[in-house]
């Protein structure tokens, strides 16, 4: 899989998330600055509880796992 294709698929999928979901995923996985953070650090940055970070993360990952977003091919190492 081409790195450009993967980045494009991730960026496209992220548009389907709410602003808070997007921020949580970007911070947890270091998508913008390369620094992956844990739930506690993410919560501190966003001003939300660790439990809320966990809830938002679950919701966001469920939404991102939907095959219609085209992200499944990226995660499986294939491009459509």
């Amino acid at each position: 899989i081409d790195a450009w294709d993967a980045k494009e698929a991730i960026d496209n999928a992220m548009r389907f998330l709410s602003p808070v979901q997007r921020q949580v995923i970007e911070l947890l996985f270091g998508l913008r600055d390369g620094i992956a953070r844990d739930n506690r650090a993410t919560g501190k940055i966003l001003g939300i509880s660790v439990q809320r970070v966990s809830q938002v993360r679950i919701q966001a990952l469920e939404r991102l796992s939907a095959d219609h977003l085209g992200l499944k091919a990226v995660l499986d190492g294939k491009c459509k």
Side-chain angles (χ1 to χ4, degrees), residues 17-76:
L17 300 178
S18 72
V20 172
Q21 289 173 334
R22 193 174 316 113
Q23 288 177 310
V24 165
I25 295 300
E26 288 173 352
L27 290 168
L28 288 173
F29 294 96
L31 297 179
R32 296 296 171 224
D33 61 7
I35 301 169
R37 294 164 177 85
D38 62 12
N39 286 3
R40 185 176 174 167
T42 298
K44 188 172 184 176
I45 291 168
L46 297 178
I48 59 177
S49 70
V50 172
Q51 292 85 356
R52 183 65 186 141
V53 171
S54 183
Q55 291 170 346
V56 172
R57 175 181 48 83
I58 290 167
Q59 292 168 348
L61 292 176
E62 285 175 354
R63 182 172 273 182
L64 290 174
S65 69
D67 190 35
H68 72 276
L69 297 180
L71 197 56
K72 183 167 176 25
V74 172
L75 298 174
D76 289 344

